[in-house]
Amino acid sequence: MPKLRILIVDDSVIVRRMVNNVLSESDQIEVVGVAPSGHIALAKIPQVNPDLIILDVEMPEIDGLETLRRIRQTYKELPVIMFSAITERGAMATLDALSLGANDYVTKPANLGSKEAALEYIRKQLIPKIQVFCGRGVTLPKQSLASPITSDLKKIPPKLLSCKVEILAIGVSTGGPEALSQLLPRFPANLRVPILIVQHMPPVFTTRLAERLSSQCQIPVHEAKDGDVIKPGEAWIAPGDYHIVLVREGTQVRIQTIQTPPENSCRPAVDVLFRSVAKLYQGGVLGVVLTGMGQDGLHGCASIREVGGQVLVQDEASSVVWGMPGMVANAGLADKILPLNKLAEEIMGRIN
């Protein structure tokens, strides 16, 4: 099988060298070119014919966003992963890049303490995404988790399966910002239930994402803060590096932000939120799993189904990566599998 051809675009020679060294260790990957600027990158693309581009956000002359725009004018399907700093500016530019057609992003290593830790971070973050977007991702196992989970579902009393929906919980990762920007604006201002969302993103990025979504939606979208009281017709996104759980205090339900260990290598994790809402709302939960890599949300969906709640997942064709929703679907946990543009209607039908 031929190696995956990668073009690295970054104005920092140190960053180019680090990424090049990490990727060159893989027997599946070949770095076919490096470029210190957008202009040079655009000239190199037809010369080196890459399978994927790793693109810095902030560069002189033309920045990553303008470079991406020009790439997309000629190369509609060429995968591009943005490589951005965890800063206010980096977060906003990355969200802009995703809306302009970037496939995904990886944040640059920061405050990891050593060069070795930085290299390991790049290795773990970049290589799986390169493999997925170049069609070398891991095939979903159809049996490994299906049998024990689906056998437990047979024990659910039928009467629990028709509970009134009291809360909507959404889990999403790769491709999430764009999926949420298509789904959430379709909910009306008088939505009868609150929405809790886990989007795999670092700090700062979740703040900017909540602000951006709130400006697009009929309902307010907040970055969750410890102690927030949830209300119908509003949405909360888990803050980067914090899980969120719900606790009932009298007639109110509050959000708690916690830093217990990552689950599925994620914090925030979908499984943590889904377990919490299942415990508090039982059969009144509607869980939705959108596009994303990995299997976060799988066991949380089992928890929701075990107490009589409902689960919807995004279909493969409309997902950027059919990892998270695919695992749920293949485990037999989804009540329905739908394209992204049909999910809002289905959700509203189940809430009303």
Side-chain angles (χ1 to χ4, degrees), residues 164-201:
K164 184 177 180 180
V165 174
E166 297 179 71
I167 191 165
L168 173 61
I170 299 173
V172 60
S173 186
T174 311
E178 281 304 293
L180 292 171
S181 72
Q182 292 182 49
L183 177 66
L184 296 186
R186 300 183 68 180
F187 295 136
N190 63 348
L191 186 71
R192 190 180 57 77
V193 302
I195 303 175
L196 277 294
I197 302 165
V198 166
Q199 159 74 61
H200 295 157
M201 268 189 160

PDB file of all heavy atoms in Angstrom, residues 164-201:
ATOM      1  N   LYS A 164     -42.096  10.927  28.508  1.00  0.00           N
ATOM      2  CA  LYS A 164     -42.024  12.254  27.915  1.00  0.00           C
ATOM      3  C   LYS A 164     -40.590  12.765  27.999  1.00  0.00           C
ATOM      4  O   LYS A 164     -39.945  12.682  29.038  1.00  0.00           O
ATOM      5  CB  LYS A 164     -42.958  13.191  28.685  1.00  0.00           C
ATOM      6  CG  LYS A 164     -43.052  14.597  28.118  1.00  0.00           C
ATOM      7  CD  LYS A 164     -44.056  15.400  28.927  1.00  0.00           C
ATOM      8  CE  LYS A 164     -44.175  16.813  28.379  1.00  0.00           C
ATOM      9  NZ  LYS A 164     -45.159  17.617  29.166  1.00  0.00           N
ATOM     10  N   VAL A 165     -40.085  13.309  26.889  1.00  0.00           N
ATOM     11  CA  VAL A 165     -38.723  13.818  26.866  1.00  0.00           C
ATOM     12  C   VAL A 165     -38.623  15.079  27.721  1.00  0.00           C
ATOM     13  O   VAL A 165     -39.396  16.021  27.569  1.00  0.00           O
ATOM     14  CB  VAL A 165     -38.271  14.124  25.420  1.00  0.00           C
ATOM     15  CG1 VAL A 165     -36.889  14.805  25.420  1.00  0.00           C
ATOM     16  CG2 VAL A 165     -38.224  12.847  24.591  1.00  0.00           C
ATOM     17  N   GLU A 166     -37.657  15.082  28.654  1.00  0.00           N
ATOM     18  CA  GLU A 166     -37.446  16.219  29.542  1.00  0.00           C
ATOM     19  C   GLU A 166     -36.120  16.933  29.300  1.00  0.00           C
ATOM     20  O   GLU A 166     -35.931  18.068  29.756  1.00  0.00           O
ATOM     21  CB  GLU A 166     -37.493  15.753  31.004  1.00  0.00           C
ATOM     22  CG  GLU A 166     -38.823  15.179  31.445  1.00  0.00           C
ATOM     23  CD  GLU A 166     -38.771  14.733  32.876  1.00  0.00           C
ATOM     24  OE1 GLU A 166     -38.725  15.623  33.767  1.00  0.00           O
ATOM     25  OE2 GLU A 166     -38.748  13.514  33.135  1.00  0.00           O
ATOM     26  N   ILE A 167     -35.196  16.269  28.597  1.00  0.00           N
ATOM     27  CA  ILE A 167     -33.886  16.886  28.351  1.00  0.00           C
ATOM     28  C   ILE A 167     -33.278  16.296  27.089  1.00  0.00           C
ATOM     29  O   ILE A 167     -33.481  15.109  26.779  1.00  0.00           O
ATOM     30  CB  ILE A 167     -32.940  16.674  29.560  1.00  0.00           C
ATOM     31  CG1 ILE A 167     -31.696  17.551  29.417  1.00  0.00           C
ATOM     32  CG2 ILE A 167     -32.580  15.214  29.743  1.00  0.00           C
ATOM     33  CD1 ILE A 167     -30.898  17.695  30.700  1.00  0.00           C
ATOM     34  N   LEU A 168     -32.563  17.139  26.353  1.00  0.00           N
ATOM     35  CA  LEU A 168     -31.859  16.719  25.147  1.00  0.00           C
ATOM     36  C   LEU A 168     -30.364  16.795  25.425  1.00  0.00           C
ATOM     37  O   LEU A 168     -29.849  17.848  25.815  1.00  0.00           O
ATOM     38  CB  LEU A 168     -32.233  17.644  23.982  1.00  0.00           C
ATOM     39  CG  LEU A 168     -31.477  17.458  22.662  1.00  0.00           C
ATOM     40  CD1 LEU A 168     -31.692  16.065  22.090  1.00  0.00           C
ATOM     41  CD2 LEU A 168     -31.922  18.518  21.651  1.00  0.00           C
ATOM     42  N   ALA A 169     -29.660  15.676  25.264  1.00  0.00           N
ATOM     43  CA  ALA A 169     -28.217  15.615  25.494  1.00  0.00           C
ATOM     44  C   ALA A 169     -27.537  15.231  24.189  1.00  0.00           C
ATOM     45  O   ALA A 169     -27.912  14.234  23.558  1.00  0.00           O
ATOM     46  CB  ALA A 169     -27.885  14.602  26.587  1.00  0.00           C
ATOM     47  N   ILE A 170     -26.540  16.022  23.779  1.00  0.00           N
ATOM     48  CA  ILE A 170     -25.879  15.837  22.484  1.00  0.00           C
ATOM     49  C   ILE A 170     -24.392  15.602  22.697  1.00  0.00           C
ATOM     50  O   ILE A 170     -23.739  16.323  23.452  1.00  0.00           O
ATOM     51  CB  ILE A 170     -26.074  17.074  21.587  1.00  0.00           C
ATOM     52  CG1 ILE A 170     -27.565  17.312  21.305  1.00  0.00           C
ATOM     53  CG2 ILE A 170     -25.308  16.916  20.265  1.00  0.00           C
ATOM     54  CD1 ILE A 170     -27.855  18.610  20.560  1.00  0.00           C
ATOM     55  N   GLY A 171     -23.844  14.595  22.019  1.00  0.00           N
ATOM     56  CA  GLY A 171     -22.413  14.333  22.029  1.00  0.00           C
ATOM     57  C   GLY A 171     -21.859  14.407  20.623  1.00  0.00           C
ATOM     58  O   GLY A 171     -22.452  13.865  19.680  1.00  0.00           O
ATOM     59  N   VAL A 172     -20.695  15.075  20.450  1.00  0.00           N
ATOM     60  CA  VAL A 172     -20.151  15.295  19.121  1.00  0.00           C
ATOM     61  C   VAL A 172     -18.659  15.581  19.212  1.00  0.00           C
ATOM     62  O   VAL A 172     -18.172  16.072  20.231  1.00  0.00           O
ATOM     63  CB  VAL A 172     -20.914  16.464  18.423  1.00  0.00           C
ATOM     64  CG1 VAL A 172     -20.774  17.749  19.207  1.00  0.00           C
ATOM     65  CG2 VAL A 172     -20.483  16.650  16.978  1.00  0.00           C
ATOM     66  N   SER A 173     -17.941  15.285  18.136  1.00  0.00           N
ATOM     67  CA  SER A 173     -16.495  15.523  18.116  1.00  0.00           C
ATOM     68  C   SER A 173     -16.083  16.050  16.750  1.00  0.00           C
ATOM     69  O   SER A 173     -16.499  17.137  16.358  1.00  0.00           O
ATOM     70  CB  SER A 173     -15.740  14.239  18.482  1.00  0.00           C
ATOM     71  OG  SER A 173     -14.360  14.486  18.590  1.00  0.00           O
ATOM     72  N   THR A 174     -15.302  15.278  15.994  1.00  0.00           N
ATOM     73  CA  THR A 174     -14.794  15.732  14.702  1.00  0.00           C
ATOM     74  C   THR A 174     -15.936  16.126  13.768  1.00  0.00           C
ATOM     75  O   THR A 174     -16.844  15.341  13.518  1.00  0.00           O
ATOM     76  CB  THR A 174     -13.962  14.620  14.040  1.00  0.00           C
ATOM     77  OG1 THR A 174     -13.027  14.127  14.985  1.00  0.00           O
ATOM     78  CG2 THR A 174     -13.243  15.131  12.810  1.00  0.00           C
ATOM     79  N   GLY A 175     -15.888  17.350  13.254  1.00  0.00           N
ATOM     80  CA  GLY A 175     -16.967  17.854  12.410  1.00  0.00           C
ATOM     81  C   GLY A 175     -18.087  18.498  13.194  1.00  0.00           C
ATOM     82  O   GLY A 175     -19.076  18.967  12.622  1.00  0.00           O
ATOM     83  N   GLY A 176     -17.919  18.549  14.524  1.00  0.00           N
ATOM     84  CA  GLY A 176     -18.980  19.016  15.395  1.00  0.00           C
ATOM     85  C   GLY A 176     -19.397  20.464  15.251  1.00  0.00           C
ATOM     86  O   GLY A 176     -20.592  20.759  15.213  1.00  0.00           O
ATOM     87  N   PRO A 177     -18.453  21.406  15.185  1.00  0.00           N
ATOM     88  CA  PRO A 177     -18.869  22.805  15.083  1.00  0.00           C
ATOM     89  C   PRO A 177     -19.809  23.068  13.904  1.00  0.00           C
ATOM     90  O   PRO A 177     -20.819  23.769  14.042  1.00  0.00           O
ATOM     91  CB  PRO A 177     -17.544  23.551  14.932  1.00  0.00           C
ATOM     92  CG  PRO A 177     -16.574  22.704  15.697  1.00  0.00           C
ATOM     93  CD  PRO A 177     -17.000  21.288  15.398  1.00  0.00           C
ATOM     94  N   GLU A 178     -19.499  22.472  12.753  1.00  0.00           N
ATOM     95  CA  GLU A 178     -20.369  22.672  11.597  1.00  0.00           C
ATOM     96  C   GLU A 178     -21.685  21.919  11.759  1.00  0.00           C
ATOM     97  O   GLU A 178     -22.752  22.416  11.372  1.00  0.00           O
ATOM     98  CB  GLU A 178     -19.665  22.227  10.314  1.00  0.00           C
ATOM     99  CG  GLU A 178     -18.671  23.244   9.793  1.00  0.00           C
ATOM    100  CD  GLU A 178     -19.297  24.606   9.570  1.00  0.00           C
ATOM    101  OE1 GLU A 178     -20.148  24.741   8.677  1.00  0.00           O
ATOM    102  OE2 GLU A 178     -18.949  25.547  10.302  1.00  0.00           O
ATOM    103  N   ALA A 179     -21.641  20.720  12.331  1.00  0.00           N
ATOM    104  CA  ALA A 179     -22.882  19.962  12.561  1.00  0.00           C
ATOM    105  C   ALA A 179     -23.798  20.712  13.521  1.00  0.00           C
ATOM    106  O   ALA A 179     -25.016  20.825  13.291  1.00  0.00           O
ATOM    107  CB  ALA A 179     -22.550  18.576  13.108  1.00  0.00           C
ATOM    108  N   LEU A 180     -23.243  21.250  14.596  1.00  0.00           N
ATOM    109  CA  LEU A 180     -24.040  22.005  15.559  1.00  0.00           C
ATOM    110  C   LEU A 180     -24.593  23.285  14.928  1.00  0.00           C
ATOM    111  O   LEU A 180     -25.727  23.691  15.220  1.00  0.00           O
ATOM    112  CB  LEU A 180     -23.205  22.344  16.792  1.00  0.00           C
ATOM    113  CG  LEU A 180     -22.808  21.156  17.679  1.00  0.00           C
ATOM    114  CD1 LEU A 180     -21.798  21.591  18.734  1.00  0.00           C
ATOM    115  CD2 LEU A 180     -24.037  20.522  18.339  1.00  0.00           C
ATOM    116  N   SER A 181     -23.812  23.905  14.043  1.00  0.00           N
ATOM    117  CA  SER A 181     -24.275  25.146  13.411  1.00  0.00           C
ATOM    118  C   SER A 181     -25.404  24.883  12.421  1.00  0.00           C
ATOM    119  O   SER A 181     -26.144  25.801  12.057  1.00  0.00           O
ATOM    120  CB  SER A 181     -23.114  25.857  12.709  1.00  0.00           C
ATOM    121  OG  SER A 181     -22.730  25.173  11.535  1.00  0.00           O
ATOM    122  N   GLN A 182     -25.545  23.651  11.992  1.00  0.00           N
ATOM    123  CA  GLN A 182     -26.680  23.296  11.130  1.00  0.00           C
ATOM    124  C   GLN A 182     -27.879  22.812  11.947  1.00  0.00           C
ATOM    125  O   GLN A 182     -29.030  23.046  11.556  1.00  0.00           O
ATOM    126  CB  GLN A 182     -26.260  22.201  10.145  1.00  0.00           C
ATOM    127  CG  GLN A 182     -25.255  22.655   9.108  1.00  0.00           C
ATOM    128  CD  GLN A 182     -24.907  21.548   8.137  1.00  0.00           C
ATOM    129  OE1 GLN A 182     -25.788  20.893   7.585  1.00  0.00           O
ATOM    130  NE2 GLN A 182     -23.616  21.312   7.936  1.00  0.00           N
ATOM    131  N   LEU A 183     -27.610  22.149  13.073  1.00  0.00           N
ATOM    132  CA  LEU A 183     -28.695  21.567  13.866  1.00  0.00           C
ATOM    133  C   LEU A 183     -29.356  22.572  14.808  1.00  0.00           C
ATOM    134  O   LEU A 183     -30.592  22.736  14.803  1.00  0.00           O
ATOM    135  CB  LEU A 183     -28.148  20.387  14.680  1.00  0.00           C
ATOM    136  CG  LEU A 183     -29.132  19.686  15.629  1.00  0.00           C
ATOM    137  CD1 LEU A 183     -30.236  19.002  14.836  1.00  0.00           C
ATOM    138  CD2 LEU A 183     -28.400  18.673  16.513  1.00  0.00           C
ATOM    139  N   LEU A 184     -28.575  23.264  15.624  1.00  0.00           N
ATOM    140  CA  LEU A 184     -29.145  24.092  16.688  1.00  0.00           C
ATOM    141  C   LEU A 184     -30.006  25.257  16.184  1.00  0.00           C
ATOM    142  O   LEU A 184     -31.031  25.574  16.807  1.00  0.00           O
ATOM    143  CB  LEU A 184     -28.037  24.615  17.607  1.00  0.00           C
ATOM    144  CG  LEU A 184     -27.254  23.567  18.405  1.00  0.00           C
ATOM    145  CD1 LEU A 184     -26.289  24.247  19.365  1.00  0.00           C
ATOM    146  CD2 LEU A 184     -28.181  22.638  19.173  1.00  0.00           C
ATOM    147  N   PRO A 185     -29.652  25.929  15.067  1.00  0.00           N
ATOM    148  CA  PRO A 185     -30.509  27.035  14.614  1.00  0.00           C
ATOM    149  C   PRO A 185     -31.916  26.603  14.202  1.00  0.00           C
ATOM    150  O   PRO A 185     -32.797  27.458  14.034  1.00  0.00           O
ATOM    151  CB  PRO A 185     -29.733  27.600  13.406  1.00  0.00           C
ATOM    152  CG  PRO A 185     -28.309  27.260  13.686  1.00  0.00           C
ATOM    153  CD  PRO A 185     -28.381  25.898  14.315  1.00  0.00           C
ATOM    154  N   ARG A 186     -32.147  25.315  14.057  1.00  0.00           N
ATOM    155  CA  ARG A 186     -33.469  24.831  13.649  1.00  0.00           C
ATOM    156  C   ARG A 186     -34.413  24.623  14.831  1.00  0.00           C
ATOM    157  O   ARG A 186     -35.574  24.296  14.641  1.00  0.00           O
ATOM    158  CB  ARG A 186     -33.310  23.539  12.850  1.00  0.00           C
ATOM    159  CG  ARG A 186     -32.458  23.738  11.598  1.00  0.00           C
ATOM    160  CD  ARG A 186     -32.354  22.482  10.774  1.00  0.00           C
ATOM    161  NE  ARG A 186     -33.641  22.118  10.170  1.00  0.00           N
ATOM    162  CZ  ARG A 186     -33.811  21.055   9.394  1.00  0.00           C
ATOM    163  NH1 ARG A 186     -32.780  20.261   9.125  1.00  0.00           N
ATOM    164  NH2 ARG A 186     -34.993  20.775   8.895  1.00  0.00           N
ATOM    165  N   PHE A 187     -33.895  24.826  16.054  1.00  0.00           N
ATOM    166  CA  PHE A 187     -34.757  24.710  17.226  1.00  0.00           C
ATOM    167  C   PHE A 187     -35.415  26.056  17.520  1.00  0.00           C
ATOM    168  O   PHE A 187     -34.752  27.096  17.479  1.00  0.00           O
ATOM    169  CB  PHE A 187     -33.964  24.244  18.453  1.00  0.00           C
ATOM    170  CG  PHE A 187     -33.415  22.854  18.317  1.00  0.00           C
ATOM    171  CD1 PHE A 187     -32.119  22.562  18.708  1.00  0.00           C
ATOM    172  CD2 PHE A 187     -34.189  21.821  17.804  1.00  0.00           C
ATOM    173  CE1 PHE A 187     -31.596  21.288  18.585  1.00  0.00           C
ATOM    174  CE2 PHE A 187     -33.684  20.545  17.671  1.00  0.00           C
ATOM    175  CZ  PHE A 187     -32.389  20.273  18.061  1.00  0.00           C
ATOM    176  N   PRO A 188     -36.715  26.071  17.854  1.00  0.00           N
ATOM    177  CA  PRO A 188     -37.429  27.328  18.097  1.00  0.00           C
ATOM    178  C   PRO A 188     -37.091  27.944  19.447  1.00  0.00           C
ATOM    179  O   PRO A 188     -36.603  27.254  20.355  1.00  0.00           O
ATOM    180  CB  PRO A 188     -38.901  26.900  18.054  1.00  0.00           C
ATOM    181  CG  PRO A 188     -38.883  25.467  18.515  1.00  0.00           C
ATOM    182  CD  PRO A 188     -37.601  24.889  17.971  1.00  0.00           C
ATOM    183  N   ALA A 189     -37.366  29.226  19.581  1.00  0.00           N
ATOM    184  CA  ALA A 189     -37.090  29.942  20.830  1.00  0.00           C
ATOM    185  C   ALA A 189     -37.883  29.367  21.997  1.00  0.00           C
ATOM    186  O   ALA A 189     -37.452  29.446  23.152  1.00  0.00           O
ATOM    187  CB  ALA A 189     -37.389  31.423  20.662  1.00  0.00           C
ATOM    188  N   ASN A 190     -39.041  28.793  21.720  1.00  0.00           N
ATOM    189  CA  ASN A 190     -39.888  28.234  22.793  1.00  0.00           C
ATOM    190  C   ASN A 190     -39.669  26.735  22.981  1.00  0.00           C
ATOM    191  O   ASN A 190     -40.575  26.014  23.413  1.00  0.00           O
ATOM    192  CB  ASN A 190     -41.358  28.510  22.502  1.00  0.00           C
ATOM    193  CG  ASN A 190     -41.849  27.830  21.212  1.00  0.00           C
ATOM    194  OD1 ASN A 190     -41.036  27.343  20.423  1.00  0.00           O
ATOM    195  ND2 ASN A 190     -43.151  27.808  21.013  1.00  0.00           N
ATOM    196  N   LEU A 191     -38.472  26.246  22.673  1.00  0.00           N
ATOM    197  CA  LEU A 191     -38.148  24.833  22.862  1.00  0.00           C
ATOM    198  C   LEU A 191     -38.498  24.414  24.291  1.00  0.00           C
ATOM    199  O   LEU A 191     -38.149  25.098  25.254  1.00  0.00           O
ATOM    200  CB  LEU A 191     -36.661  24.604  22.598  1.00  0.00           C
ATOM    201  CG  LEU A 191     -36.181  23.154  22.606  1.00  0.00           C
ATOM    202  CD1 LEU A 191     -36.702  22.403  21.380  1.00  0.00           C
ATOM    203  CD2 LEU A 191     -34.649  23.096  22.632  1.00  0.00           C
ATOM    204  N   ARG A 192     -39.163  23.278  24.433  1.00  0.00           N
ATOM    205  CA  ARG A 192     -39.742  22.879  25.720  1.00  0.00           C
ATOM    206  C   ARG A 192     -38.729  22.281  26.693  1.00  0.00           C
ATOM    207  O   ARG A 192     -39.000  22.161  27.897  1.00  0.00           O
ATOM    208  CB  ARG A 192     -40.865  21.858  25.449  1.00  0.00           C
ATOM    209  CG  ARG A 192     -41.720  21.519  26.648  1.00  0.00           C
ATOM    210  CD  ARG A 192     -42.792  20.521  26.286  1.00  0.00           C
ATOM    211  NE  ARG A 192     -42.272  19.292  25.712  1.00  0.00           N
ATOM    212  CZ  ARG A 192     -41.698  18.317  26.410  1.00  0.00           C
ATOM    213  NH1 ARG A 192     -41.522  18.439  27.722  1.00  0.00           N
ATOM    214  NH2 ARG A 192     -41.258  17.230  25.815  1.00  0.00           N
ATOM    215  N   VAL A 193     -37.518  21.923  26.214  1.00  0.00           N
ATOM    216  CA  VAL A 193     -36.537  21.247  27.076  1.00  0.00           C
ATOM    217  C   VAL A 193     -35.189  21.963  27.017  1.00  0.00           C
ATOM    218  O   VAL A 193     -34.900  22.680  26.055  1.00  0.00           O
ATOM    219  CB  VAL A 193     -36.358  19.769  26.647  1.00  0.00           C
ATOM    220  CG1 VAL A 193     -37.673  19.020  26.703  1.00  0.00           C
ATOM    221  CG2 VAL A 193     -35.732  19.668  25.255  1.00  0.00           C
ATOM    222  N   PRO A 194     -34.351  21.761  28.020  1.00  0.00           N
ATOM    223  CA  PRO A 194     -32.969  22.257  27.947  1.00  0.00           C
ATOM    224  C   PRO A 194     -32.106  21.328  27.111  1.00  0.00           C
ATOM    225  O   PRO A 194     -32.440  20.151  26.914  1.00  0.00           O
ATOM    226  CB  PRO A 194     -32.517  22.264  29.410  1.00  0.00           C
ATOM    227  CG  PRO A 194     -33.357  21.232  30.076  1.00  0.00           C
ATOM    228  CD  PRO A 194     -34.656  21.160  29.338  1.00  0.00           C
ATOM    229  N   ILE A 195     -30.973  21.871  26.625  1.00  0.00           N
ATOM    230  CA  ILE A 195     -30.027  21.091  25.821  1.00  0.00           C
ATOM    231  C   ILE A 195     -28.660  21.138  26.500  1.00  0.00           C
ATOM    232  O   ILE A 195     -28.176  22.210  26.858  1.00  0.00           O
ATOM    233  CB  ILE A 195     -29.895  21.656  24.394  1.00  0.00           C
ATOM    234  CG1 ILE A 195     -31.255  21.715  23.696  1.00  0.00           C
ATOM    235  CG2 ILE A 195     -28.920  20.809  23.572  1.00  0.00           C
ATOM    236  CD1 ILE A 195     -31.205  22.388  22.324  1.00  0.00           C
ATOM    237  N   LEU A 196     -28.045  19.983  26.668  1.00  0.00           N
ATOM    238  CA  LEU A 196     -26.681  19.870  27.176  1.00  0.00           C
ATOM    239  C   LEU A 196     -25.823  19.249  26.088  1.00  0.00           C
ATOM    240  O   LEU A 196     -26.215  18.248  25.480  1.00  0.00           O
ATOM    241  CB  LEU A 196     -26.634  19.004  28.442  1.00  0.00           C
ATOM    242  CG  LEU A 196     -26.959  19.670  29.782  1.00  0.00           C
ATOM    243  CD1 LEU A 196     -25.915  20.706  30.130  1.00  0.00           C
ATOM    244  CD2 LEU A 196     -28.350  20.261  29.796  1.00  0.00           C
ATOM    245  N   ILE A 197     -24.652  19.835  25.838  1.00  0.00           N
ATOM    246  CA  ILE A 197     -23.802  19.418  24.715  1.00  0.00           C
ATOM    247  C   ILE A 197     -22.381  19.158  25.194  1.00  0.00           C
ATOM    248  O   ILE A 197     -21.807  19.974  25.918  1.00  0.00           O
ATOM    249  CB  ILE A 197     -23.756  20.508  23.625  1.00  0.00           C
ATOM    250  CG1 ILE A 197     -25.168  20.835  23.120  1.00  0.00           C
ATOM    251  CG2 ILE A 197     -22.864  20.085  22.468  1.00  0.00           C
ATOM    252  CD1 ILE A 197     -25.241  22.123  22.315  1.00  0.00           C
ATOM    253  N   VAL A 198     -21.820  18.044  24.775  1.00  0.00           N
ATOM    254  CA  VAL A 198     -20.379  17.816  24.900  1.00  0.00           C
ATOM    255  C   VAL A 198     -19.794  17.795  23.497  1.00  0.00           C
ATOM    256  O   VAL A 198     -20.153  16.953  22.668  1.00  0.00           O
ATOM    257  CB  VAL A 198     -20.052  16.501  25.627  1.00  0.00           C
ATOM    258  CG1 VAL A 198     -18.577  16.136  25.431  1.00  0.00           C
ATOM    259  CG2 VAL A 198     -20.355  16.625  27.114  1.00  0.00           C
ATOM    260  N   GLN A 199     -18.948  18.767  23.217  1.00  0.00           N
ATOM    261  CA  GLN A 199     -18.159  18.843  21.984  1.00  0.00           C
ATOM    262  C   GLN A 199     -16.697  18.729  22.389  1.00  0.00           C
ATOM    263  O   GLN A 199     -16.226  19.506  23.210  1.00  0.00           O
ATOM    264  CB  GLN A 199     -18.419  20.180  21.287  1.00  0.00           C
ATOM    265  CG  GLN A 199     -17.355  20.614  20.303  1.00  0.00           C
ATOM    266  CD  GLN A 199     -17.364  19.833  19.003  1.00  0.00           C
ATOM    267  OE1 GLN A 199     -18.355  19.850  18.277  1.00  0.00           O
ATOM    268  NE2 GLN A 199     -16.269  19.150  18.702  1.00  0.00           N
ATOM    269  N   HIS A 200     -16.000  17.760  21.849  1.00  0.00           N
ATOM    270  CA  HIS A 200     -14.584  17.597  22.191  1.00  0.00           C
ATOM    271  C   HIS A 200     -13.799  18.798  21.674  1.00  0.00           C
ATOM    272  O   HIS A 200     -13.562  18.924  20.476  1.00  0.00           O
ATOM    273  CB  HIS A 200     -14.023  16.311  21.569  1.00  0.00           C
ATOM    274  CG  HIS A 200     -14.650  15.069  22.109  1.00  0.00           C
ATOM    275  ND1 HIS A 200     -14.661  13.882  21.419  1.00  0.00           N
ATOM    276  CD2 HIS A 200     -15.283  14.814  23.278  1.00  0.00           C
ATOM    277  CE1 HIS A 200     -15.266  12.957  22.132  1.00  0.00           C
ATOM    278  NE2 HIS A 200     -15.656  13.502  23.272  1.00  0.00           N
ATOM    279  N   MET A 201     -13.402  19.674  22.584  1.00  0.00           N
ATOM    280  CA  MET A 201     -12.641  20.873  22.246  1.00  0.00           C
ATOM    281  C   MET A 201     -11.866  21.340  23.464  1.00  0.00           C
ATOM    282  O   MET A 201     -12.305  21.125  24.601  1.00  0.00           O
ATOM    283  CB  MET A 201     -13.573  22.000  21.798  1.00  0.00           C
ATOM    284  CG  MET A 201     -13.822  22.068  20.309  1.00  0.00           C
ATOM    285  SD  MET A 201     -14.706  23.572  19.858  1.00  0.00           S
ATOM    286  CE  MET A 201     -14.299  23.642  18.115  1.00  0.00           C
TER     287      MET A 201
END
